Amino acid sequence: MKVKRSSGKGSTIRDIAQALGVCTATVSNALNGRMDKVSASLAADIRRKADEMGYVKDLTAASLSGFKSHLVDLIIAGSFIPATKDDTWDINPFYGELIFRLEHEARERGHSLSIYTGHEEQCVSPAAARRSDAIVALGITNEQSLARLRRRTGKVIVLDSYFGTREAVVVRTDEEKGAALATERLVQRGCKKLAFVGHGITEFPQNIPAIRYRGARKAADAAGVPLAIVEEWTHLAGGKRAAETVLELKVDGVVTSADILAAGLIEGLKTRGVRIPDDIAVTGYDNLSVARMVTPALTTVDQGLDEKVRAICAFITEGQPGDIRVVDPRLVVRESA
Amino acid sequence: MKVKRSSGKGSTIRDIAQALGVCTATVSNALNGRMDKVSASLAADIRRKADEMGYVKDLTAASLSGFKSHLVDLIIAGSFIPATKDDTWDINPFYGELIFRLEHEARERGHSLSIYTGHEEQCVSPAAARRSDAIVALGITNEQSLARLRRRTGKVIVLDSYFGTREAVVVRTDEEKGAALATERLVQRGCKKLAFVGHGITEFPQNIPAIRYRGARKAADAAGVPLAIVEEWTHLAGGKRAAETVLELKVDGVVTSADILAAGLIEGLKTRGVRIPDDIAVTGYDNLSVARMVTPALTTVDQGLDEKVRAICAFITEGQPGDIRVVDPRLVVRESA
DNA sequence: CTGAAAGCGCTTACAG
DNA sequence: CTGAAAGCGCTTACAG
């Protein structure tokens, strides 16, 4: 009962082995550079033949067989935002920058990057079904999700989260400090009444915006300056909407939890005739390219994304649960504050 | 010589089969809903047991064994741009929007999305090594790359390309028409002298910016209005740099090949005291969220990205080489022109 | 309706 | 240094 079910695509190590009259193990060893297992001349022959036949290793088979898949998953949970009427998606550009940087760094180390976005459960299930070498999780808020991911992958790297410290590797910025830097900048400029714009400040105290708020809170308290909360989703439209509330509050300085919020806010304020930073000073957070695109350019907090991406990639190969890397934020002064 | 090499992660169909005293084929059939192969009651038992044991199907094994991997690769070639001194990457946000939309649509159909960015060869090799159901390729300029991809995957969907029509499925917008719409808008506004800003206009005639240029060219010629070429990379910094050239040319209208270029250009012009659109009118292209972020908001061309993403996903399951879908562009009038 | 077997393409102990 | 075999976890004809 020979059932031949070749996919018909490309050649295999068996084809090479047959062509050369050696066994597949030898071909595998030669192609993987196990030079202690194959003589140099045979290895050279095998490699030449492989090139000649246009051989491309099937990584799916390799990962089933071996211990490494060279696959990294990136989960971006809680990022789903429906399309607007303009047929544009109002997505925080932070995600795009993260994806590009991580993909670039990961590929240099021979990993492929898969992306999972949307609600937490939608992201977690498909990611848990692949044999990834590591899962990088952003925006996970549920301990159970973490447990499910760990079940198959072992190596879960939690990004920008203040939980999961025991079971996972954690990479994040010192968010409180970053928000304090921005707040102190406003205070130094002479602002007497501040607002903080962000999402889920009281509802999700573990999430990044709430943590940034607490940093701003401490700095404002230390300076004896009042700080109101303006609750808004983290996207451009949210920032625009916040403009009205900010005006009602009669503040002269606004700390936002994201550049994209600051961009929307500034646009909203400008259309109402407010001068930035003279009437109201605004700080962003993240230091994305958006920060240089808006007018006036954003004074913002650089969260050290490149450093974090490098830390993530280092942890992919060497990290242990419990490892943690906290990056120092840096104030970037431009024109908006 | 029993070599037991379990990964030790999670349970397998064999564990379930043993626990229930059936064979793995039956478990597989039950879990895959082949109800003609398993009695309803046994299937229910199997499913309950699977849940109980926390079984998660290993998709790597499934794709090696079966014919579908439920994996889709997205190649974004030619997108590499090094980090700037600000530690921000000047990436066209179009890519981020594409990734999010495509991931979202693909996941709804049960596919996972992997990303490959950078130079053409760097993208193509790793993508060709996986058993993907389909490869979506953006920015491929080399017929040989296409051939390599086809070798393993069979289904290559070329996005926004004017070649590969025979060997692949093609999805794109009518780029010439889109650029013509933008150009005609400027002419209607009364512009007497135009410039086109884009990358590789003469060097890469097959690429999108050059095709958009030709559309603008035709429209300008038809209106008897001169159109100069300003060569710049497709990113914010390129747009900013273009401002100087544009001023020297003394034009009163600029067609750009991308929103991000228009955003940079407008910022560059504003800092030089130019009023938009009164002194110089500017059009973008793509209708990204950036288009609403800059001041003045961009008049731009919507390239119908959602429609294209849906077409891509439809083609993943049903497309044949030679299939082509050309989407109609739409002028979106805001303030910059 | 159920089971035993072969196979996907690779890797890794182990024996020569 | 080289080869034969077993295994990764699943799916799919085929036989009962």
Side-chain angles (χ1 to χ4, degrees):
Chain A
M1 184 171 75
K2 286 279 169 196
V3 184
K4 180 63 178 164
R5 276 188 298 137
S6 163
S7 64
K9 300 282 175 190
S11 44
T12 69
I13 54 169
R14 196 165 55 189
D15 298 332
I16 298 171
Q18 283 177 349
L20 257 38
V22 299
C23 80
T24 59
T26 303
V27 176
S28 172
N29 285 327
L31 259 25
N32 289 320
R34 303 220 190 305
M35 296 316 287
D36 52 323
K37 302 278 187 183
V38 193
S39 68
S41 71
L42 216 201
D45 286 351
I46 288 172
R47 256 178 241 137
R48 194 178 320 116
K49 195 74 189 176
D51 276 354
E52 188 186 315
M53 299 176 71
Y55 171 78
V56 178
K57 187 199 283 192
D58 183 333
L59 291 181
T60 301
S63 56
L64 182 58
S65 170
F67 297 107
K68 304 192 71 54
S69 68
H70 298 285
L71 219 58
V72 173
D73 293 336
L74 172 62
I75 289 180
I76 301 180
S79 54
F80 178 70
I81 292 168
T84 66
K85 60 179 178 352
D86 288 24
D87 194 26
T88 60
W89 283 27
D90 202 345
I91 295 163
N92 189 342
F94 167 70
Y95 298 127
E97 296 213 8
L98 171 64
I99 290 170
F100 266 78
R101 289 168 196 236
L102 186 55
E103 196 279 340
H104 181 248
E105 192 80 19
R107 181 163 36 72
E108 288 206 330
R109 297 165 188 244
H111 296 284
S112 290
L113 186 70
S114 298
I115 311 281
Y116 301 84
T117 71
H119 295 301
E120 187 153 342
E121 324 83 66
Q122 292 174 338
C123 297
V124 167
S125 296
R130 306 248 168 223
R131 304 191 153 210
S132 318
D133 287 350
I135 295 180
V136 181
L138 178 68
I140 292 282
T141 59
N142 188 333
E143 300 269 358
Q144 284 214 311
S145 304
L146 235 175
R148 284 179 62 198
L149 293 176
R150 274 180 50 75
R151 195 169 212 151
R152 182 172 304 271
T153 303
K155 182 155 298 181
V156 178
I157 299 170
V158 163
L159 181 59
D160 291 350
S161 170
Y162 275 66
F163 80 92
T165 318
R166 298 252 178 85
E167 309 82 359
V169 180
V170 177
V171 174
R172 62 173 168 81
T173 304
D174 185 341
E175 304 286 358
E176 290 205 12
K177 181 171 173 188
L181 289 174
T183 310
E184 287 158 6
R185 169 75 189 171
L186 293 174
V187 170
Q188 280 171 16
R189 280 191 105 262
C191 294
K192 299 297 180 204
K193 193 173 178 198
L194 301 178
F196 184 94
V197 183
H199 173 250
I201 306 304
T202 54
E203 196 179 352
F204 305 108
Q206 301 235 36
N207 286 10
I208 296 302
I211 293 159
R212 290 180 182 169
Y213 166 72
R214 289 201 290 277
R217 170 91 270 160
K218 284 184 192 167
D221 287 352
V225 172
L227 176 71
I229 295 177
V230 178
E231 177 71 28
E232 270 301 349
W233 284 90
T234 310
H235 56 210
L236 197 66
K240 271 192 193 172
R241 271 199 308 263
E244 199 162 342
T245 320
V246 162
L247 280 178
E248 286 169 8
L249 289 169
K250 296 193 191 307
V251 300
D252 54 3
V254 182
V255 183
T256 68
S257 73
D259 284 345
I260 193 75
L261 268 172
L265 175 64
I266 287 178
E267 189 179 336
L269 290 174
K270 282 197 302 190
T271 60
R272 286 170 173 80
V274 177
R275 291 167 305 160
I276 317 283
D278 300 327
D279 299 334
I280 302 181
V282 177
T283 62
Y285 204 116
D286 287 339
N287 196 24
L288 307 180
S289 14
V290 205
R292 296 174 295 143
M293 192 149 40
V294 296
T295 313
L298 294 181
T299 290
T300 188
V301 179
D302 190 295
Q303 56 151 294
L305 190 51
D306 271 338
E307 188 177 342
K308 284 155 82 171
V309 164
R310 280 193 296 272
I312 288 170
C313 287
F315 280 145
I316 286 172
T317 44
E318 295 158 19
Q320 297 298 328
D323 284 355
I324 182 163
R325 172 66 164 278
V326 178
V327 168
D328 238 23
R330 184 171 57 88
L331 186 71
V332 178
V333 177
R334 296 201 182 89
E335 301 150 20
S336 71
Chain B
M1 183 167 78
K2 286 278 167 195
V3 184
K4 177 66 179 161
R5 276 188 296 138
S6 164
S7 66
K9 298 280 178 192
S11 43
T12 68
I13 54 170
R14 194 164 57 189
D15 299 332
I16 298 171
Q18 283 176 349
L20 255 38
V22 298
C23 82
T24 58
T26 304
V27 175
S28 172
N29 285 326
L31 261 25
N32 288 320
R34 302 216 192 307
M35 296 314 288
D36 52 321
K37 301 279 188 182
V38 193
S39 69
S41 70
L42 216 201
D45 286 352
I46 289 172
R47 256 177 241 139
R48 194 178 319 116
K49 195 74 188 176
D51 276 355
E52 190 186 315
M53 298 175 73
Y55 171 77
V56 178
K57 186 200 284 190
D58 183 332
L59 291 181
T60 301
S63 57
L64 182 58
S65 170
F67 296 107
K68 304 192 71 55
S69 67
H70 299 283
L71 218 59
V72 173
D73 292 337
L74 172 63
I75 291 180
I76 302 180
S79 54
F80 178 71
I81 293 168
T84 66
K85 60 179 177 353
D86 288 24
D87 195 26
T88 60
W89 282 28
D90 202 346
I91 296 163
N92 189 343
F94 166 71
Y95 299 127
E97 298 214 6
L98 171 64
I99 291 170
F100 266 77
R101 291 169 194 235
L102 185 55
E103 196 279 337
H104 181 248
E105 192 79 19
R107 181 163 37 71
E108 289 206 328
R109 298 163 186 244
H111 297 284
S112 290
L113 186 71
S114 298
I115 311 283
Y116 301 84
T117 72
H119 295 301
E120 186 154 342
E121 324 82 67
Q122 292 173 337
C123 297
V124 166
S125 296
R130 306 248 168 223
R131 302 189 154 212
S132 317
D133 287 350
I135 295 179
V136 181
L138 178 68
I140 293 282
T141 58
N142 189 333
E143 300 268 358
Q144 283 215 312
S145 304
L146 235 176
R148 283 178 63 198
L149 293 175
R150 274 179 50 75
R151 194 168 212 153
R152 184 174 300 273
T153 301
K155 182 155 300 182
V156 177
I157 300 171
V158 162
L159 181 60
D160 291 350
S161 171
Y162 276 66
F163 80 92
T165 319
R166 297 251 176 87
E167 310 82 0
V169 180
V170 176
V171 175
R172 61 171 168 82
T173 304
D174 184 341
E175 304 285 359
E176 291 204 11
K177 181 172 172 186
L181 289 173
T183 310
E184 286 158 8
R185 169 76 189 171
L186 293 174
V187 170
Q188 279 170 15
R189 280 193 105 261
C191 293
K192 300 297 179 204
K193 192 172 179 200
L194 301 177
F196 183 95
V197 183
H199 174 250
I201 306 303
T202 53
E203 196 178 351
F204 304 108
Q206 302 235 36
N207 287 9
I208 296 300
I211 292 158
R212 291 181 181 169
Y213 166 72
R214 288 200 290 277
R217 172 90 270 159
K218 284 183 194 170
D221 286 352
V225 172
L227 176 72
I229 295 176
V230 179
E231 177 71 28
E232 270 301 347
W233 284 90
T234 310
H235 57 210
L236 197 66
K240 271 192 195 173
R241 271 198 309 261
E244 201 161 342
T245 320
V246 163
L247 281 177
E248 287 169 8
L249 290 169
K250 296 193 189 308
V251 300
D252 53 4
V254 182
V255 182
T256 67
S257 74
D259 284 346
I260 193 74
L261 267 172
L265 174 65
I266 286 178
E267 188 178 339
L269 290 174
K270 283 199 301 191
T271 60
R272 286 171 174 81
V274 177
R275 290 168 306 160
I276 317 284
D278 300 326
D279 298 335
I280 301 181
V282 177
T283 61
Y285 204 116
D286 287 339
N287 196 24
L288 306 179
S289 16
V290 205
R292 297 175 295 143
M293 192 148 43
V294 296
T295 311
L298 294 181
T299 290
T300 188
V301 179
D302 190 295
Q303 54 151 295
L305 190 51
D306 272 337
E307 189 178 341
K308 283 155 83 171
V309 164
R310 280 194 297 272
I312 288 170
C313 287
F315 280 145
I316 288 172
T317 44
E318 295 157 18
Q320 298 298 328
D323 284 355
I324 181 162
R325 171 68 164 278
V326 178
V327 169
D328 238 25
R330 184 172 57 88
L331 186 71
V332 177
V333 176
R334 295 200 183 89
E335 300 151 20
S336 71

